Amino acid sequence: MARVAFVTGGTRGIGHEIVARLKADGMKVAAGYSGNDAAAEACAKEFDVMVVKGNVGVFEDCQRAIAKVEAELGPVDVLVNNAGITRDTVFHRMSPEQWGEVVRVNMDSLYNMTRQVIEGMRERGWGRIINISSINGQKGQIGQSNYSAAKAGMLGFTKALALENAKKGVTVNAIAPGYIDTEMVQAVPEKVLQSIIDQIPVGRLGRGEEIADVVSFLAGERAGYVTGATLTINGGQFMGG
């Protein structure tokens, strides 16, 4: 029987590529999104997948989303926590709203989404939770104290949850992408973008499908011995812990 996967923030950017790959792997896939209905409709049509609207920062929205997916596709076997936002500014000018919104969507969403599926995964003795962090959660970034804090917190969450569920056949891993060629990155001014590329040893931006390839492995049957890991995919830009 085909596994069921739910990808938050799955209709654009890296999430779009993850949805494409998991669907190609033969999974039944649902893509979560928060606002862009046109992109969601295009994703649903392109890949023949289910799309579900909601705010991952709101627990009740996540309850409703998972209930819809499980009613239509079956119990969720693979959860990819990919949704994220930025509200960049230096900390001494950061408003409570800029801090709180980023923490809710990037960090609280881990609890809100994973809490809906973890008990079922444990009962069935199989599950894959994959958290999409960021290079900036590892090394920090000027103007992103909120984002960096949330993405770093994701790594601690990954390790703790991996320990709790290892004996139940549920693996929990994180991926920390560097700068990937998405709409968000392409919106960066050309000179700034070039200065970023100049800092990447392989000399280019990453591709969304390169992240999706690693998600595909972690979501599969052969990754049962990989848990609590953080896989850095950044072209050599940062090699620290």
Side-chain angles (χ1 to χ4, degrees):
M1 181 178 287
R3 299 288 188 190
V4 176
F6 190 103
V7 182
T8 69
T11 61
R12 293 191 294 166
I14 292 172
H16 179 270
E17 298 303 319
I18 294 170
V19 166
R21 181 55 193 269
L22 296 182
K23 178 69 176 182
D25 288 345
M27 293 190 185
K28 295 188 284 185
V29 183
Y33 76 104
S34 62
N36 192 324
D37 293 321
E41 289 170 13
C43 180
K45 186 175 181 180
E46 182 179 3
F47 302 125
D48 188 26
V49 296
M50 180 180 182
V51 292
V52 186
K53 189 172 185 176
N55 183 347
V56 292
V58 177
F59 186 81
E60 292 76 15
D61 276 19
C62 297
Q63 276 185 318
R64 285 191 290 270
I66 292 296
K68 286 180 182 178
V69 172
E70 297 201 329
E72 186 166 324
L73 303 181
V76 172
D77 302 298
V78 176
L79 173 64
V80 183
N81 287 309
N82 169 72
I85 61 168
T86 56
R87 297 290 183 267
D88 295 353
T89 188
V90 288
F91 183 76
H92 61 275
R93 295 181 186 144
M94 188 174 290
S95 69
E97 291 74 24
Q98 287 170 317
W99 175 271
E101 190 176 1
V102 167
V103 169
R104 278 193 300 277
V105 172
N106 293 276
M107 184 67 187
D108 292 352
S109 60
L110 298 178
Y111 174 83
N112 294 341
M113 287 300 304
T114 309
R115 189 65 183 84
Q116 315 302 331
V117 301
I118 191 67
E119 290 185 67
M121 289 179 177
R122 287 170 60 88
E123 288 166 7
R124 295 188 300 276
W126 200 95
R128 300 285 186 262
I129 297 166
I130 302 161
N131 301 317
I132 309 300
S133 181
S134 167
I135 186 175
N136 292 340
Q138 296 177 300
K139 73 176 186 60
Q141 177 63 30
I142 292 170
Q144 288 196 330
S145 59
N146 48 5
Y147 184 82
S148 295
K151 291 298 188 178
M154 187 179 275
L155 303 183
F157 172 84
T158 296
K159 293 172 185 178
L161 199 66
L163 290 171
E164 290 183 9
N165 293 280
K167 285 184 168 57
K168 294 293 186 178
V170 180
T171 67
V172 189
N173 293 288
I175 296 172
Y179 287 87
I180 307 300
D181 192 5
T182 62
E183 288 178 37
M184 184 172 71
V185 170
Q186 287 295 348
V188 173
E190 187 175 346
K191 286 185 178 180
V192 176
L193 185 57
Q194 187 57 53
S195 72
I196 291 170
I197 294 172
D198 290 343
Q199 297 170 34
I200 302 172
V202 301
R204 63 171 175 85
L205 297 173
R207 295 185 291 270
E209 57 264 31
E210 292 175 310
I211 307 301
D213 284 344
V214 179
V215 171
S216 173
F217 167 69
L218 292 175
E221 305 295 333
R222 294 187 293 176
Y225 202 58
V226 183
T227 196
T230 298
L231 284 75
T232 56
I233 308 174
N234 59 38
Q237 187 179 1
F238 181 75
M239 301 183 189

XYZ file of all heavy atoms in Angstrom, residues 18-93:
558
model
N 9.620 19.007 -3.342
C 9.459 17.838 -2.468
C 8.182 17.092 -2.819
O 8.165 15.857 -2.902
C 9.461 18.270 -0.988
C 10.836 18.823 -0.596
C 9.070 17.106 -0.085
C 10.870 19.481 0.766
N 7.094 17.827 -3.024
C 5.827 17.217 -3.422
C 5.997 16.439 -4.729
O 5.548 15.289 -4.858
C 4.720 18.282 -3.555
C 3.505 17.736 -4.285
C 4.324 18.803 -2.172
N 6.665 17.061 -5.692
C 6.886 16.407 -6.992
C 7.643 15.095 -6.816
O 7.292 14.071 -7.417
C 7.649 17.340 -7.923
N 8.685 15.116 -5.982
C 9.519 13.918 -5.827
C 8.781 12.806 -5.082
O 8.836 11.631 -5.479
C 10.809 14.280 -5.107
C 11.761 13.097 -4.912
C 12.084 12.422 -6.253
N 12.742 11.132 -6.028
C 14.057 10.962 -5.950
N 14.860 12.014 -6.079
N 14.566 9.775 -5.751
N 8.093 13.140 -3.999
C 7.389 12.109 -3.244
C 6.255 11.497 -4.057
O 5.984 10.300 -3.975
C 6.872 12.675 -1.920
C 7.948 13.133 -0.930
C 7.310 13.618 0.361
C 8.964 12.031 -0.648
N 5.597 12.318 -4.867
C 4.568 11.799 -5.769
C 5.192 10.840 -6.787
O 4.665 9.753 -7.063
C 3.871 12.961 -6.486
C 2.806 12.536 -7.489
C 1.586 11.935 -6.824
C 0.504 11.625 -7.853
N -0.714 11.075 -7.232
N 6.350 11.226 -7.343
C 7.048 10.368 -8.305
C 7.510 9.067 -7.654
O 7.625 8.039 -8.323
C 8.239 11.109 -8.900
N 7.751 9.118 -6.352
C 8.153 7.916 -5.611
C 6.983 6.958 -5.374
O 7.177 5.867 -4.816
C 8.747 8.309 -4.253
C 10.128 8.945 -4.379
O 10.749 8.832 -5.447
O 10.582 9.550 -3.384
N 5.778 7.395 -5.743
C 4.615 6.526 -5.601
C 3.796 6.758 -4.346
O 2.895 5.966 -4.039
N 4.094 7.819 -3.631
C 3.321 8.121 -2.426
C 2.037 8.863 -2.768
O 1.930 9.512 -3.816
C 4.160 8.970 -1.457
C 5.329 8.256 -0.869
S 6.087 9.220 0.477
C 7.514 8.176 0.844
N 1.077 8.777 -1.871
C -0.106 9.635 -1.926
C 0.249 10.895 -1.161
O 0.602 10.826 0.019
C -1.315 8.931 -1.306
C -1.757 7.702 -2.077
C -3.074 7.133 -1.557
C -2.881 6.386 -0.255
N -4.140 5.720 0.192
N 0.176 12.052 -1.835
C 0.749 13.274 -1.280
C -0.304 14.361 -1.108
O -1.154 14.572 -1.983
C 1.883 13.804 -2.185
C 2.526 15.045 -1.572
C 2.951 12.726 -2.402
N -0.231 15.055 0.033
C -1.017 16.262 0.277
C -0.058 17.415 0.507
O 0.957 17.264 1.192
C -1.922 16.077 1.494
N -0.370 18.558 -0.074
C 0.448 19.759 0.064
C -0.321 20.815 0.844
O -1.424 21.198 0.454
C 0.834 20.297 -1.312
N 0.258 21.270 1.934
C -0.352 22.342 2.704
C 0.093 23.696 2.193
O 1.194 23.847 1.658
N -0.787 24.689 2.340
C -0.437 26.058 1.954
C -1.287 27.014 2.769
O -2.286 26.628 3.374
C -0.644 26.280 0.456
C -2.093 26.435 0.024
C -2.616 27.687 -0.291
C -2.945 25.334 -0.068
C -3.942 27.835 -0.684
C -4.259 25.469 -0.453
C -4.752 26.724 -0.767
O -6.071 26.867 -1.143
N -0.872 28.307 2.774
C -1.572 29.263 3.642
C -2.343 30.337 2.899
O -3.343 30.830 3.414
C -0.573 29.942 4.594
O 0.389 30.678 3.863
N -1.902 30.718 1.673
C -2.581 31.873 1.100
C -2.712 31.942 -0.402
O -3.670 32.512 -0.927
N -1.760 31.376 -1.131
C -1.747 31.553 -2.586
C -2.589 30.470 -3.256
O -2.114 29.386 -3.594
C -0.295 31.512 -3.092
C -0.165 31.961 -4.530
O -1.034 31.689 -5.352
N 0.924 32.647 -4.843
N -3.862 30.778 -3.456
C -4.783 29.795 -4.026
C -4.412 29.400 -5.456
O -4.555 28.235 -5.849
C -6.221 30.342 -4.014
C -6.765 30.506 -2.604
O -6.482 29.635 -1.756
O -7.468 31.502 -2.350
N -3.913 30.360 -6.230
C -3.557 30.073 -7.624
C -2.416 29.066 -7.688
O -2.447 28.121 -8.485
C -3.176 31.365 -8.341
N -1.405 29.259 -6.845
C -0.270 28.332 -6.817
C -0.720 26.956 -6.352
O -0.251 25.931 -6.849
C 0.828 28.867 -5.906
N -1.644 26.928 -5.389
C -2.155 25.649 -4.887
C -2.915 24.892 -5.971
O -2.731 23.680 -6.149
C -3.051 25.888 -3.678
N -3.763 25.610 -6.700
C -4.526 24.972 -7.775
C -3.599 24.441 -8.859
O -3.804 23.338 -9.387
C -5.514 25.977 -8.373
C -6.677 26.318 -7.430
C -7.510 27.486 -7.935
O -7.344 27.862 -9.119
O -8.317 28.021 -7.150
N -2.552 25.208 -9.158
C -1.592 24.774 -10.183
C -0.845 23.527 -9.729
O -0.623 22.602 -10.516
C -0.605 25.905 -10.476
N -0.460 23.494 -8.455
C 0.252 22.342 -7.901
C -0.627 21.097 -7.927
O -0.185 20.015 -8.327
C 0.704 22.658 -6.474
S 1.593 21.329 -5.662
N -1.884 21.259 -7.516
C -2.822 20.126 -7.496
C -3.001 19.548 -8.895
O -3.016 18.315 -9.079
C -4.163 20.575 -6.932
N -3.113 20.443 -9.873
C -3.316 19.993 -11.255
C -2.055 19.371 -11.840
O -2.108 18.335 -12.512
C -3.755 21.192 -12.109
C -4.129 20.828 -13.533
C -4.663 22.048 -14.277
C -5.066 21.686 -15.707
N -5.577 22.858 -16.445
N -0.909 19.978 -11.574
C 0.355 19.506 -12.150
C 0.725 18.104 -11.676
O 1.170 17.263 -12.458
C 1.481 20.485 -11.785
C 2.836 20.131 -12.376
C 3.919 21.136 -12.004
O 3.643 22.082 -11.238
O 5.054 20.960 -12.487
N 0.529 17.853 -10.374
C 1.001 16.591 -9.799
C -0.127 15.642 -9.390
O 0.147 14.542 -8.916
C 1.888 16.870 -8.576
C 3.078 17.732 -8.873
C 3.299 18.898 -8.151
C 3.972 17.390 -9.872
C 4.394 19.702 -8.416
C 5.068 18.183 -10.148
C 5.290 19.346 -9.419
N -1.376 16.085 -9.548
C -2.521 15.273 -9.118
C -2.405 14.932 -7.633
O -2.434 13.765 -7.230
C -2.633 14.000 -9.957
C -3.929 13.231 -9.662
O -4.909 13.869 -9.234
O -3.937 11.995 -9.839
N -2.235 15.986 -6.837
C -2.127 15.812 -5.394
C -3.225 16.619 -4.699
O -3.821 17.533 -5.279
C -0.749 16.269 -4.860
C 0.362 15.407 -5.437
C -0.492 17.754 -5.151
N -3.470 16.281 -3.450
C -4.421 17.000 -2.617
C -3.759 18.265 -2.073
O -2.577 18.246 -1.700
C -4.856 16.097 -1.462
C -5.846 16.705 -0.499
S -6.242 15.499 0.820
C -7.451 16.469 1.742
N -4.473 19.377 -2.037
C -3.959 20.591 -1.406
C -4.902 20.991 -0.266
O -6.118 20.839 -0.376
C -3.795 21.752 -2.410
C -2.681 21.442 -3.406
C -5.086 22.070 -3.129
N -4.303 21.471 0.814
C -5.067 21.796 2.019
C -4.626 23.161 2.523
O -3.440 23.389 2.766
C -4.843 20.742 3.129
C -5.758 21.030 4.316
C -5.062 19.339 2.608
N -5.591 24.069 2.696
C -5.278 25.426 3.134
C -5.372 25.542 4.650
O -6.261 24.985 5.280
C -6.253 26.415 2.483
C -5.890 27.882 2.699
C -6.807 28.775 1.861
C -6.385 30.237 1.951
N -7.212 31.097 1.074
N -4.431 26.283 5.233
C -4.463 26.508 6.674
C -3.177 27.178 7.132
O -2.196 27.263 6.384
N -3.174 27.645 8.355
C -2.022 28.316 8.960
C -1.346 27.352 9.919
O -1.926 26.970 10.934
C -2.493 29.576 9.691
C -1.347 30.372 10.291
O -0.217 29.894 10.386
N -1.629 31.593 10.712
N -0.115 26.953 9.610
C 0.575 25.982 10.462
C 0.884 26.537 11.845
O 1.207 25.784 12.763
C 1.882 25.480 9.810
C 1.585 24.638 8.590
C 2.823 26.629 9.480
N 0.773 27.854 12.005
C 0.978 28.464 13.307
C -0.231 28.381 14.221
O -0.175 28.818 15.368
N -1.326 27.804 13.719
C -2.571 27.685 14.488
C -2.887 26.198 14.675
O -3.103 25.477 13.700
C -3.733 28.394 13.775
C -5.041 28.211 14.544
C -3.420 29.878 13.590
N -2.925 25.751 15.919
C -3.102 24.324 16.225
C -4.377 23.766 15.603
O -4.375 22.674 15.022
C -3.126 24.126 17.749
C -3.154 22.684 18.180
C -1.991 21.932 18.214
C -4.347 22.077 18.569
C -2.004 20.607 18.616
C -4.372 20.758 18.970
C -3.196 20.012 18.998
N -5.473 24.511 15.708
C -6.751 24.020 15.197
C -6.737 23.874 13.677
O -7.356 22.950 13.140
C -7.890 24.948 15.628
C -8.177 24.949 17.118
C -7.163 25.727 17.939
O -6.369 26.520 17.348
O -7.136 25.543 19.181
N -6.033 24.757 12.980
C -5.890 24.618 11.527
C -5.170 23.317 11.180
O -5.528 22.627 10.214
C -5.103 25.800 10.949
C -5.980 27.013 10.672
O -7.089 27.099 11.242
O -5.548 27.883 9.887
N -4.166 22.981 11.960
C -3.401 21.755 11.710
C -4.248 20.516 11.993
O -4.170 19.529 11.256
C -2.132 21.754 12.563
S -1.000 23.106 12.148
N -5.060 20.583 13.034
C -5.997 19.488 13.320
C -6.918 19.251 12.140
O -7.119 18.110 11.699
C -6.844 19.819 14.553
C -6.218 19.497 15.882
C -7.178 19.753 17.027
O -7.891 20.764 17.046
N -7.215 18.847 17.988
N -7.493 20.342 11.623
C -8.428 20.227 10.503
C -7.719 19.698 9.253
O -8.265 18.865 8.526
C -9.075 21.582 10.208
C -10.132 21.992 11.222
C -10.923 23.195 10.743
N -10.116 24.409 10.738
C -10.020 25.235 11.782
N -10.676 24.974 12.897
N -9.276 26.324 11.698
N -6.498 20.178 9.011
C -5.761 19.761 7.814
C -5.472 18.267 7.838
O -5.712 17.555 6.847
C -4.457 20.554 7.703
N -4.968 17.778 8.961
C -4.640 16.359 9.058
C -5.905 15.509 8.985
O -5.926 14.440 8.347
C -3.853 16.071 10.347
C -2.466 16.716 10.259
C -3.729 14.562 10.582
C -1.567 16.169 9.172
N -6.985 15.980 9.608
C -8.252 15.230 9.544
C -8.724 15.096 8.097
O -9.184 14.024 7.674
C -9.315 15.926 10.396
N -8.607 16.180 7.315
C -8.999 16.125 5.900
C -8.145 15.141 5.119
O -8.649 14.344 4.320
C -8.876 17.523 5.266
C -9.960 18.501 5.659
C -9.722 19.841 4.969
C -10.760 20.877 5.375
N -10.488 22.199 4.742
N -6.850 15.199 5.335
C -5.931 14.320 4.611
C -6.195 12.864 4.965
O -6.270 11.992 4.084
C -4.467 14.696 4.916
C -3.508 13.671 4.326
C -4.152 16.082 4.354
N -6.356 12.591 6.252
C -6.539 11.196 6.663
C -7.889 10.652 6.197
O -8.001 9.465 5.886
C -6.356 11.084 8.170
C -4.927 11.463 8.583
C -4.511 10.928 9.931
O -5.382 10.785 10.812
O -3.297 10.673 10.103
N -8.895 11.534 6.110
C -10.198 11.097 5.612
C -10.134 10.748 4.124
O -10.799 9.819 3.657
C -11.247 12.180 5.851
N -9.325 11.476 3.383
C -9.263 11.273 1.931
C -8.180 10.295 1.498
O -8.392 9.481 0.589
C -9.033 12.616 1.228
C -9.089 12.525 -0.283
C -9.209 13.887 -0.962
O -9.883 14.780 -0.411
O -8.626 14.053 -2.046
N -7.005 10.359 2.142
C -5.866 9.565 1.684
C -5.478 8.437 2.624
O -4.853 7.465 2.206
C -4.642 10.477 1.485
C -4.797 11.662 0.528
C -3.489 12.436 0.442
C -5.256 11.204 -0.853
N -5.812 8.593 3.920
C -5.410 7.602 4.919
C -4.443 8.211 5.913
O -4.052 9.376 5.805
N -4.044 7.424 6.921
C -3.145 7.928 7.961
C -1.825 8.443 7.384
O -1.280 7.856 6.443
C -2.904 6.696 8.849
C -4.080 5.818 8.598
C -4.458 6.029 7.166
N -1.335 9.520 7.957
C -0.105 10.133 7.469
C 1.106 9.337 7.963
O 1.310 9.170 9.162
C -0.006 11.607 7.914
C 1.359 12.195 7.565
C -1.125 12.427 7.269
N 1.916 8.867 7.016
C 3.134 8.115 7.312
C 4.373 9.001 7.297
O 5.352 8.721 7.997
C 3.346 7.009 6.271
C 2.185 6.035 6.202
O 1.923 5.366 7.210
O 1.537 5.969 5.134
N 4.349 10.038 6.455
C 5.504 10.919 6.262
C 5.042 12.362 6.432
O 4.128 12.811 5.725
C 6.122 10.742 4.859
C 7.265 11.729 4.644
C 6.579 9.309 4.646
N 5.665 13.071 7.365
C 5.369 14.492 7.562
C 6.621 15.293 7.272
O 7.672 15.061 7.886
C 4.904 14.759 8.991
C 4.731 16.240 9.370
C 3.626 16.894 8.549
C 4.450 16.385 10.863
N 6.517 16.227 6.331
C 7.623 17.127 6.025
C 7.235 18.528 6.501
O 6.347 19.168 5.929
C 7.951 17.145 4.521
C 9.162 18.041 4.260
C 8.213 15.738 4.003
N 7.880 18.973 7.573
C 7.628 20.310 8.122
C 8.505 21.307 7.373
O 9.657 21.569 7.752
C 7.938 20.322 9.622
C 6.898 19.584 10.436
O 5.701 19.835 10.308
N 7.345 18.672 11.291
N 7.955 21.844 6.307
C 8.701 22.710 5.399
C 8.259 24.172 5.447
O 9.036 25.060 5.106
C 8.560 22.169 3.966
C 9.063 23.137 2.924
O 10.263 23.353 2.783
N 8.146 23.753 2.182
N 7.034 24.447 5.863
C 6.511 25.821 5.816
C 7.369 26.773 6.635
O 7.814 26.434 7.739
C 5.073 25.847 6.319
N 7.590 27.948 6.097
C 8.360 28.951 6.834
C 8.182 30.330 6.243
O 7.833 30.476 5.067
N 8.422 31.341 7.071
C 8.351 32.726 6.620
C 9.544 33.496 7.189
O 10.203 33.045 8.127
C 7.049 33.425 7.073
C 6.959 33.444 8.611
C 5.837 32.761 6.456
C 5.868 34.358 9.147
N 9.799 34.658 6.609
C 10.793 35.580 7.153
C 10.141 36.940 7.387
O 9.239 37.346 6.642
C 11.992 35.764 6.201
O 11.510 36.210 4.920
C 12.766 34.465 6.036
N 10.610 37.600 8.429
C 10.236 38.989 8.711
C 11.517 39.673 9.176
O 11.727 39.927 10.352
C 9.146 39.068 9.793
C 7.814 38.429 9.420
C 7.084 39.209 8.349
N 5.781 38.633 8.042
C 5.555 37.751 7.073
N 6.562 37.327 6.325
N 4.344 37.282 6.847
N 12.389 39.965 8.204
C 13.760 40.343 8.528
C 13.894 41.795 8.982
O 13.351 42.713 8.353
C 14.656 40.130 7.309
C 14.778 38.680 6.908
O 14.281 37.812 7.647
O 15.393 38.415 5.850
N 14.659 41.974 10.034
C 15.109 43.285 10.488
C 16.092 43.055 11.615
O 16.068 42.000 12.256
C 13.940 44.174 10.957
O 14.434 45.502 11.211
C 13.309 43.648 12.241
N 16.971 44.027 11.855
C 17.910 43.875 12.973
C 17.131 43.851 14.288
O 16.064 44.459 14.412
C 18.949 45.006 12.986
C 19.939 44.815 11.835
C 18.287 46.371 12.916
N 17.649 43.137 15.265
C 16.902 42.852 16.483
C 16.495 44.116 17.233
O 15.383 44.190 17.779
C 17.724 41.939 17.403
C 16.975 41.552 18.649
C 15.972 40.595 18.609
C 17.261 42.158 19.869
C 15.263 40.243 19.756
C 16.568 41.817 21.017
C 15.566 40.849 20.961
N 17.358 45.127 17.255
C 17.031 46.324 18.044
C 15.902 47.150 17.425
O 15.434 48.101 18.040
C 18.279 47.197 18.283
C 18.927 47.730 17.045
N 19.853 46.997 16.329
C 18.796 48.912 16.391
C 20.269 47.716 15.290
N 19.638 48.879 15.302
N 15.456 46.757 16.238
C 14.293 47.394 15.614
C 13.133 46.423 15.447
O 12.102 46.772 14.877
C 14.672 47.958 14.243
C 15.683 49.094 14.321
C 16.008 49.647 12.949
N 17.067 50.628 13.033
C 18.009 50.806 12.121
N 18.017 50.046 11.034
N 18.937 51.723 12.267
